[in-house]
Amino acid sequence: QVQLVESGGGLVQPGGSLRLSCAASGSIFSIDDMGWYRQAPGKERELVATITNNGRTNYADSVKGRFTISRDNAKNTVYLQMNSLKPEDTAVYYCKGDISTYYSPRRYLEMWGQGTLVTVSS
């Protein structure tokens, strides 16, 4: 069984910074792409940023220049550094990983964390 656990959310003032972490644990054989998504109240879940296992990144236009995604493959962890936060960044942030297990090492499954709430408000 595999779990993804996010941490680092909270309340921050506009212009502030937060760093989210997401650690994957369990019977992991390999992790391919990892990413961060968010869902604001009343809106659909949207992509924030993704990173391949060799470090290639992709960002939503709304966060380019403000957010940075990174990963530590040795720790099975992905990070999201969020700077210059705006009220419209308020959302539940979810991490996702394309993960294979020792039971099925060639089959990658999309796995999600439980989410962490980020609130940007004065």
Side-chain angles (χ1 to χ4, degrees):
Q1 189 171 3
V2 175
Q3 284 188 319
L4 280 76
V5 179
E6 299 104 333
S7 61
L11 173 65
V12 63
Q13 291 187 342
S17 298
L18 280 177
R19 188 190 194 212
L20 305 183
S21 300
C22 173
S25 62
S27 302
I28 298 170
F29 181 78
S30 178
I31 303 179
D32 198 1
D33 294 354
M34 301 188 80
W36 288 95
Y37 294 73
R38 66 187 181 187
Q39 186 166 17
K43 295 187 177 182
E44 293 186 352
R45 191 173 297 187
E46 63 176 5
L47 179 147
V48 176
T50 60
I51 185 167
T52 66
N53 59 9
N54 59 8
R56 189 170 67 233
T57 59
N58 178 57
Y59 295 93
D61 288 343
S62 59
V63 307
K64 281 181 181 177
R66 300 187 299 122
F67 290 11
T68 301
I69 189 171
S70 61
R71 65 191 282 176
D72 184 334
N73 291 333
K75 295 181 179 180
N76 292 332
T77 299
V78 62
Y79 305 96
L80 186 68
Q81 177 67 43
M82 304 185 294
N83 299 327
S84 302
L85 282 160
K86 305 175 182 180
E88 50 263 44
D89 294 317
T90 295
V92 177
Y93 284 70
Y94 298 90
C95 76
K96 182 183 78 72
D98 297 330
I99 299 174
S100 70
T101 69
Y102 284 105
Y103 305 105
S104 186
R106 296 183 180 181
R107 183 184 180 196
Y108 285 85
L109 298 178
E110 188 177 279
M111 300 184 186
W112 293 84
Q114 81 289 350
T116 185
L117 177 63
V118 172
T119 304
V120 184
S121 175
S122 55

